[in-house]
Amino acid sequence: MGQPTPATDDGWWRSAVIYQVYVRSFADGDGDGTGDLAGVRTRLPYLAELGVDAVWFNPWYRSPMKDGGYDVADYRVIDPAFGTLAEAEKLIAEARELGIRTIVDIVPNHVSDQHPWFRAALAGGPERELFHFRPGRGDHGELPPNDWTSEFGGPAWTRIPDGDWYLHLFAPEQPDLNWAHPAVRQEHEDILRFWFDRGVAGVRIDSAALLAKDPGLPDFTEGRDPHPYVDRDELHDVYRAWRAVADEYGAVFVGEVWLPDTERFARYLRPDELHTAFNFSFMTCPWDAARLRRSIDDTLAEHAPVGAPATWVLCNHDVTRTVTRYGRADTGFDFATKAFGTPTDLALGTRRARAAALLSLALPGAVYVYQGEELGLPEADIPLDRIEDPMHARSGGTDPGRDGCRVPLPWAADEPHAGFGGEPWLPQPDGWAVYAADRQAEDPGSVLSLYRAAVRLRPEFGDGPLTWLPAPDGVLAFARAGALCVVNLAGTPVGLPAHSALLLASGPLDAAGRLPADTAVWLRS
């Protein structure tokens, strides 16, 4: 292939609207029931009309799909279920012609157990040094080397026939890499260059704080400092090396960094490390004005010392969809709220999700929109015999897993499978067609129309800081540049502050011109 022009970092990422595509569930171009790159290419005009600046793709690499593609067998090959490398290159180029940049997902903590390195390691080759193999404890090595548990439940160790054990912080099919080995570091820098050479504008880093492990692999002790595998200081050398690669191309990073310590979190965003990181405190807040304001203030404060922009997200491929989460009596973030049969008021959840969309899009920084959020999709209930997420099996069936937010999208109300393509790999609920994009595009009051209008009007808020305005209890009101955002989380309607024009509302005002409960409005000052 010819050498493409590298991406240019003109600061676009500081205020971008970035759309997350879970390829398997986005659009099916060949009719086999699995979303693919051909399907994405046909929907690029839709994304352009939505007005997004970039698209982040969940892993599209060759994978056995034991964890939705986050078990990567080869980073330089597109999984055949999705298409080919040539199609990916065309997609990147076609999107760029529409003004849409491409962000790909890298999973550095682990690979698939089908990766050539791990297969060679199982055969006793020197590649074993690239992973964490250890003898077991007990009289006959029958116990795991330590007491670490998997993020998916159960032990973080699996024993192989020769008696050794290997570490996997996630599923057994996802062995952790040994980031103390120089070959692991070099391989990932080469992978970055491989995709940057193809015009990719950025990389999202999965589980970015988990790579480095205490070489002694000690038992976990609550409060141990430093943690044996989370947020270890060695990590920063890795990301400084990555940043040097990205700077050659003008490319950017966004890290998945879950850390309660805001000072430690900000260290990843220093000028020579990652450009941005996901802000999970905002996503995990209940629908409560005081809690949301505190999250916004804390987020802006923790980013300020390093000059990094905040990111705002309401949902992603790992959490219950916003409509369902906000429609429950307890809207706090807890994986337990995904329990089967949890009652949800979808009308209430939709009103709040619409208001939350205007809130997030008015804040300073970048916004990520997970596919289907712009359609107001709720979480889907997946029949037990169709659940694929390993979280379900490893929890003993108590956790329904994440498939409910990964159900294939509805595109056309009057077509089979709501226009997705072939019979979807996950079943679409009855009535899914009511959310179809084609129907919503014709309805000025739809969630899709609201998102399109909000993305178009977002520049009214400019690039300046946020200033809070006086407001009644339960109401959030702030100004940025020449625009105001007011969100009513109280139980009764409230009056609007002085303004010159109403720009956009998440729902109608009442007969007295007041802002009803669970409604947001954008105003020109």
Side-chain angles (χ1 to χ4, degrees), residues 77-355:
V77 175
I78 298 296
D79 194 272
F82 300 149
T84 65
L85 181 59
E87 283 184 286
E89 292 167 349
K90 289 179 181 177
L91 171 55
I92 293 166
E94 291 167 355
R96 195 67 186 88
E97 290 174 359
L98 293 171
I100 300 172
R101 294 170 170 88
T102 298
I103 297 173
V104 296
D105 215 316
I106 297 293
V107 192
N109 180 71
H110 49 262
V111 292
S112 165
D113 61 356
Q114 299 304 305
H115 191 283
W117 279 0
F118 192 70
R119 296 175 73 175
L122 290 182
E127 290 82 359
R128 195 166 285 205
E129 296 179 3
L130 306 178
F131 301 90
H132 298 280
F133 281 88
R134 296 289 188 277
R137 297 191 290 193
D139 293 340
H140 306 287
E142 72 278 8
L143 300 176
N146 66 27
D147 64 356
W148 297 1
T149 58
S150 162
E151 296 289 320
F152 289 164
W157 294 90
T158 290
R159 198 176 193 187
I160 62 174
D162 70 9
D164 270 359
W165 297 72
Y166 69 88
L167 175 68
H168 52 85
L169 289 181
F170 294 86
E173 297 86 0
Q174 296 168 294
D176 280 33
L177 289 165
N178 174 16
W179 273 87
H181 199 290
V184 172
R185 294 185 58 161
Q186 185 61 56
E187 169 66 358
H188 282 77
E189 290 173 26
D190 291 347
I191 290 168
L192 293 176
R193 293 182 188 278
F194 179 88
W195 286 104
F196 292 155
D197 281 340
R198 282 155 179 78
V200 163
V203 167
R204 180 262 189 185
I205 307 167
D206 181 71
S207 300
L210 301 185
L211 281 57
K213 313 297 192 292
D214 185 322
L217 300 178
D219 281 344
F220 177 78
T221 301
E222 192 70 40
R224 174 190 290 272
D225 187 22
H227 194 287
Y229 60 83
V230 175
D231 183 35
R232 295 184 60 82
D233 288 342
E234 308 95 290
L235 266 176
H236 297 284
D237 286 339
V238 172
Y239 293 134
R240 288 190 187 97
W242 284 29
R243 178 61 177 261
V245 175
D247 285 349
E248 294 176 26
Y249 293 85
V252 300
F253 292 121
V254 55
E256 183 191 29
V257 183
W258 291 79
L259 292 178
D261 186 323
T262 58
E263 183 178 348
R264 299 284 299 186
F265 172 85
R267 294 179 68 199
Y268 290 86
L269 301 176
R270 290 175 291 193
D272 61 346
E273 295 193 42
L274 308 183
H275 300 74
T276 60
F278 283 128
N279 166 27
F280 292 110
S281 71
F282 181 77
M283 179 181 72
T284 58
C285 264
W287 187 246
D288 177 270
R291 294 274 297 275
L292 282 166
R293 176 166 175 168
R294 184 161 61 248
S295 173
I296 292 167
D297 284 341
D298 289 348
T299 296
L300 295 175
E302 70 190 17
H303 285 74
V306 288
T311 64
W312 310 100
V313 60
L314 296 172
C315 183
N316 63 30
H317 63 291
D318 285 333
V319 302
T320 303
R321 283 199 178 272
T322 311
V323 165
T324 297
R325 202 169 67 246
Y326 282 158
R328 289 175 174 158
D330 175 9
T331 56
F333 179 85
D334 183 344
F335 277 109
T337 64
K338 295 191 302 183
F340 298 105
T342 305
T344 300
D345 182 338
L346 290 183
L348 174 64
T350 299
R351 285 199 306 276
R352 290 175 170 177
R354 290 172 64 101

